[in-house]
Amino acid sequence: MSTFGGVPTALIVHAHPEPHSFSAAQMATAARTLNGAGYHVDVLDLYAEGWAPVLRREQFASTEDRFKPQAEQVRAVREGTLDREVEAHLQRLLAADLLVLSFPMWWFSMPAVLKGWVDRVFVMGGVFGGEHGFFEDAALAGRRAMLLLTTGGSAEAFEPDGAFGPMDDFLFHIRRGMLEFVGYEVLDPVVTHKPVRMTDEERGVALRRVERAIADVAGAATAPIRP
């Protein structure tokens, strides 16, 4: 369990530029529900914080002639020279029993600012590789992660025979290539389709569905999530 007062910790990483969006309302609902279930909730709003998503050579203390990002990450972790902001975010990640990625689906993936957060904060040597392994041997093994997202397309469009195809196909690279790769048990995603086309009443129903889904996630954590 988390060491934050002996209660489980959830880190919600949110990526939407509009604070009054439905995506932001989903995030706030998730935070409130987790808090009510006894979690310490840490919200990281990437747009509000002005997160710089691009991984650059200049972010490392010293590099060889050829810049090898993952090798520099391992060196920075070993020597304690990680960029201060990256180090702070990494510590928040490592403190969390549950990671929630909150975002709108753009171009059938996550916004660039969130992918850039993964690029910079899922550092080799810190959460995988180096002294850590991959998948069940990675640093975040025993913890849980989930996706909380909105789409512009209908639920029918993301069915196997729909216009776009199965939602799982679009989320696979996030689930397997990012989250499971560093050790997480990945829970079912919570998806709201086409909120922009909903009435206020329908949005209220959708938020209550989000609340129930998050409450189920919180309720399933009755035993220690990780060592």
Side-chain angles (χ1 to χ4, degrees):
M1 297 289 282
S2 166
T3 58
F4 191 93
V7 302
T9 296
L11 174 64
I12 302 178
V13 183
H14 178 64
H16 197 294
E18 172 51 60
H20 300 294
S21 65
F22 186 84
S23 180
Q26 281 198 152
M27 180 273 291
T29 297
R32 183 175 62 253
T33 304
L34 287 167
N35 185 261
Y39 275 74
H40 167 67
V41 180
D42 180 11
V43 176
L44 177 54
D45 187 329
L46 297 179
Y47 279 100
E49 293 203 6
W51 174 257
V54 180
L55 189 157
R56 300 180 182 276
R57 176 193 292 264
E58 295 79 15
Q59 294 159 357
F60 297 90
S62 63
T63 64
E64 300 174 356
D65 290 341
R66 174 175 289 186
F67 178 45
K68 301 176 182 178
Q70 289 188 330
E72 292 303 329
Q73 288 179 336
V74 171
R75 187 207 306 263
V77 169
R78 183 177 64 246
E79 298 179 355
T81 59
L82 270 177
D83 174 271
R84 288 184 179 181
E85 192 172 22
V86 171
E87 174 66 25
H89 285 208
L90 175 60
Q91 293 307 315
R92 292 165 74 173
L93 179 69
L94 293 174
D97 301 288
L98 172 68
L99 172 67
V100 180
L101 299 183
S102 167
F103 62 94
M105 177 176 275
W106 288 352
W107 294 106
F108 299 106
S109 186
M110 56 173 56
V113 70
L114 183 52
K115 174 55 166 59
W117 183 80
V118 173
D119 287 347
R120 296 188 64 199
V121 178
F122 280 29
V123 294
M124 188 170 188
V127 297
F128 75 99
E131 296 180 359
H132 308 288
F134 311 94
F135 297 108
E136 65 273 8
D137 296 319
L140 297 170
R143 312 185 198 200
R144 304 183 301 162
M146 65 180 297
L147 306 178
L148 176 64
L149 64 143
T150 60
T151 77
S154 67
E156 293 75 20
F158 286 96
E159 294 293 333
D161 58 350
F164 302 142
M167 173 64 77
D168 286 347
D169 287 358
F170 296 107
L171 300 182
F172 177 80
H173 71 290
I174 304 173
R175 176 177 60 80
R176 186 64 174 165
M178 299 179 197
L179 298 174
E180 290 181 352
F181 187 76
V182 298
Y184 284 112
E185 174 194 352
V186 182
L187 308 176
D188 290 339
V190 177
V191 184
T192 299
H193 296 277
K194 298 180 68 173
V196 70
R197 303 289 185 184
M198 291 179 176
T199 64
D200 288 344
E201 181 178 358
E202 289 169 335
R203 291 189 189 98
V205 171
L207 288 177
R208 288 193 290 275
R209 185 179 65 84
V210 169
E211 183 177 18
R212 287 194 299 272
I214 298 297
D216 287 345
V217 168
T222 55
I225 300 169
R226 58 182 171 92

